[in-house]
Amino acid sequence: MAEESKPVEQTTQSSEIVEAGKVSGWLKENGFDHEFMELDHLGVEVLKVQPDVWLPIATALYAYGFNYLQCQGGYDFGPGADLVSFYHLIKVSDNTDQPEEVRVKVFLPRDNPKVPSVYWIWKAADWQERETYDMFGIVFEGHPNLKRILMPEDWVGWPLRKDYISPDFYELQDAY
């Protein structure tokens, strides 16, 4: 009998409906097109946004109070799959024990990974977007100084892409 009840519990758990969070609801009420993905392991909302509407949504999130870009980065789903530019935003204010947070993911096609830069909204995006560009080849349109930050300027390829092939040799240069 105990073995028969396990599948029922799993089915019940997997069919639970997770309602969209506070931020997702606010965006929907105000006409901003996005997809609520999930609550992460810490209970932070994760939103999926299309690249063409990212800049208006980022501006709206700033107006909503998300005044701090804690982290921007990228990752690769694998050869032939999408690249992702992600953002972790926080509402920083006085006397807050638990600041409100949201994570935003922008899925980009591998052959043309372009997304608007949010440098003009959150200055912290400057070096973070440059690093993501340098490692994954995601182009942040409108960034004032989008150039390599970790690899040499003449480096070919994007080292953290899962389909990257490392060169057979590295030319050592004198450090000045």
Side-chain angles (χ1 to χ4, degrees):
M1 285 287 201
E3 290 179 16
E4 291 177 18
S5 65
K6 286 183 183 177
V8 174
E9 289 174 7
Q10 291 173 353
T11 305
T12 305
Q13 289 175 355
S14 65
S15 66
E16 289 180 21
I17 297 174
V18 178
E19 294 195 23
K22 180 179 171 184
V23 178
S24 180
W26 181 84
L27 287 170
K28 283 211 186 294
E29 286 173 14
N30 289 285
F32 291 101
D33 188 32
H34 71 286
E35 179 184 329
F36 174 78
M37 293 181 72
E38 62 183 351
L39 295 176
D40 72 2
H41 68 286
L42 298 173
V44 177
E45 289 179 67
V46 181
L47 308 177
K48 178 180 178 180
V49 172
Q50 295 301 316
D52 56 334
V53 296
W54 169 227
L55 200 53
I57 288 178
T59 306
L61 289 171
Y62 183 81
Y64 183 73
F66 288 102
N67 54 0
Y68 179 59
L69 172 65
Q70 183 183 43
C71 181
Q72 185 284 322
Y75 62 90
D76 183 355
F77 273 114
D82 286 343
L83 300 172
V84 177
S85 178
F86 65 84
Y87 306 81
H88 186 125
L89 305 171
I90 299 177
K91 278 187 177 181
V92 175
S93 61
D94 294 337
N95 302 322
T96 303
D97 292 339
Q98 192 67 24
E100 193 172 348
E101 302 175 61
V102 67
R103 299 182 204 277
V104 179
K105 295 182 179 184
V106 182
F107 291 77
L108 306 164
R110 181 177 220 81
D111 59 345
N112 190 20
K114 292 183 179 178
V115 64
S117 173
V118 293
Y119 168 81
W120 305 104
I121 300 170
W122 298 286
K123 297 298 185 212
D126 186 9
W127 286 19
Q128 295 179 57
E129 287 181 347
R130 285 181 59 192
E131 181 180 0
T132 302
Y133 164 73
D134 196 6
M135 296 289 105
F136 293 97
I138 296 173
V139 176
F140 294 91
E141 295 177 319
H143 191 284
N145 189 23
L146 191 63
K147 62 181 185 177
R148 290 197 181 265
I149 193 169
L150 299 172
M151 304 303 288
E153 288 283 333
D154 60 350
W155 194 265
V156 177
W158 317 108
L160 290 184
R161 284 195 183 187
K162 292 184 178 177
D163 57 358
Y164 178 72
I165 299 171
S166 297
D168 291 337
F169 69 94
Y170 297 97
E171 181 179 328
L172 297 178
Q173 299 176 357
D174 293 330
Y176 295 102

